[in-house]
Amino acid sequence: MNQHYFFSICLILTFLFSQNNTFAQRDFSKVEIKAEQVSDNIYMLVGSGGNIGVCVGDDGVFMIDSQFGPLSEKISKAIAELSTKPIKILFNTHWHGDHTGGNENFGKKDAMIIAHDNVMERMSTEQKRAFRKPTPAAPKVAQPIITFNDKMSFHLNGEDILIFHFHHGHTDGDAIVYFPKSNVIHMGDTYFKGRFPYIDLGSGGDVEGVLKTINEVLFLADEDTKIIPGHGALSNKEELMEYRDVITICRDRVKKAIASEMTLEEIKASNLTKEYDEDWGGGFINPEKFVEILYADLTKEEKE
């Protein structure tokens, strides 16, 4: 294994382990769930964790992601203010706990849980990664009961809801949810608005896959499309293009530095992301961690 690759992976996983401990100690009693109307019958719920999408109508509630388990009661109350219908389908954009932590609670209330094949694979088995506390398999009631490979569709509440797994990007089980009639797209964590992205290499993530997925979404979107990111405020095509361009520029700079045989420490010291750090570096992934992830991803072919 290339020593620089190994070193950068260790740094990233150590960082993520500390984040896991932070989540475990969080006081969810202070979290408020706020609903923002996106279209006539689609809402974005913001609380703690990934943004939730909700499509309401006569057929029942179609819910996208479930945040953390301790927030389920608050989330249910927020949805009840939007619709008197039950939550019929809970769709997960990927397997991370800030998007699936409430699955068990909603599954016990008979929500049908659906996700990509790889989400089921990861949620049904213990996930072990170096320097991180193992993530145990989710209870059976929290696991998807229907899975898909590349695409699927739903027809309810007057919407043709189209689901796509374009590429392995944030993880290997990412899903994009597209509402053509309402012109709304939920991107899950393939989009961290205004922040450096988290590319989970331990879950099959890949920077090239993230960029390809973004380009696929940009092909679907027009100037009026409302885009729900996994994290951050409601967005649009122009802002998503900026996100793609920042990732591309930073990736190219790190790739060039690697080609020049710079070490990871030398690359970090060169401040390749400096003009973006103030605006983009205040989220879950700071500038240094973003460079470490890019370095590890771009050198992974040297792993063996």
Side-chain angles (χ1 to χ4, degrees):
M1 177 183 288
N2 179 279
Q3 62 178 349
H4 299 309
Y5 175 85
F6 178 77
F7 176 65
S8 57
I9 284 290
C10 290
L11 286 173
I12 294 167
L13 294 176
T14 300
F15 166 71
L16 294 176
F17 177 72
S18 69
Q19 292 296 313
N20 272 1
N21 289 338
T22 300
F23 291 151
Q25 298 170 7
R26 182 176 298 173
D27 183 2
F28 290 105
S29 68
K30 301 182 185 301
V31 175
E32 295 182 22
I33 305 298
K34 298 180 179 180
E36 179 178 353
Q37 188 166 14
V38 181
S39 70
D40 288 344
N41 65 332
I42 298 174
Y43 297 81
M44 181 175 80
L45 302 188
V46 179
S48 180
N51 292 329
I52 293 173
V54 175
C55 175
V56 300
D58 292 339
D59 298 325
V61 175
F62 181 91
M63 178 179 177
I64 304 169
D65 289 338
S66 60
Q67 295 193 0
F68 295 104
L71 296 173
S72 296
E73 184 176 349
K74 292 182 179 181
I75 292 168
S76 294
K77 288 181 179 178
I79 293 176
E81 293 181 2
L82 307 176
S83 173
T84 59
K85 298 288 186 177
I87 298 171
K88 188 170 186 176
I89 294 172
L90 169 54
F91 185 87
N92 292 140
T93 60
H94 62 291
W95 80 276
H96 287 156
D98 60 325
H99 294 255
T100 64
N103 279 24
E104 180 176 3
N105 297 326
F106 291 106
K108 288 178 178 177
K109 294 181 178 180
D110 297 326
M112 183 182 298
I113 302 173
I114 303 174
H116 188 266
D117 295 339
N118 290 334
V119 173
M120 175 61 180
E121 177 65 24
R122 294 191 180 279
M123 291 188 69
S124 62
T125 58
E126 183 178 73
Q127 296 298 297
K128 295 181 179 179
R129 284 177 279 170
F131 303 102
R132 289 191 69 177
K133 181 180 179 181
T135 302
K140 190 171 181 61
V141 69
Q143 298 173 19
I145 63 171
I146 297 175
T147 63
F148 75 102
N149 188 321
D150 295 323
K151 60 185 177 180
M152 69 183 308
S153 58
F154 301 91
H155 308 279
L156 72 164
N157 298 333
E159 299 276 355
D160 294 324
I161 306 171
L162 309 181
I163 311 291
F164 302 101
H165 169 75
F166 288 124
H167 306 279
H168 294 2
H170 172 63
T171 69
D172 59 9
D174 300 331
I176 304 299
V177 186
Y178 179 36
F179 300 86
K181 179 180 176 181
S182 293
N183 202 9
V184 174
I185 301 174
H186 193 306
M187 291 186 64
D189 280 3
T190 59
Y191 185 17
F192 285 70
K193 181 190 171 183
R195 313 175 191 183
F196 289 134
Y198 169 34
I199 300 167
D200 185 355
L201 303 182
S203 294
D206 179 81
V207 66
E208 300 298 337
V210 167
L211 291 170
K212 289 178 182 178
T213 294
I214 292 170
N215 282 327
E216 299 276 9
V217 173
L218 289 172
F219 178 79
L220 294 175
D222 59 33
E223 302 308 315
D224 297 320
T225 303
K226 301 290 181 64
I227 300 176
I228 301 175
H231 297 268
L234 187 64
S235 190
N236 54 46
K237 183 175 184 177
E238 182 179 0
E239 291 172 340
L240 181 61
M241 290 175 67
E242 181 184 14
Y243 181 71
R244 176 200 60 188
D245 293 345
V246 169
I247 297 173
T248 301
I249 290 167
C250 294
R251 177 208 60 185
D252 290 347
R253 290 175 181 175
V254 173
K255 184 182 290 188
K256 183 177 180 180
I258 292 170
S260 299
E261 300 186 348
M262 292 175 65
T263 67
L264 174 59
E265 290 306 312
E266 288 171 338
I267 294 172
K268 288 195 291 185
S270 64
N271 296 320
L272 296 180
T273 64
K274 59 184 178 182
E275 70 264 44
Y276 305 115
D277 290 354
E278 182 176 353
D279 293 334
W280 294 72
F284 174 57
I285 299 297
N286 64 31
E288 182 175 285
K289 301 307 175 187
F290 181 42
V291 169
E292 289 170 1
I293 290 172
L294 287 174
Y295 182 88
D297 191 21
L298 294 169
T299 57
K300 63 187 174 187
E301 66 274 8
E302 302 176 21
K303 182 176 180 180
E304 305 205 356

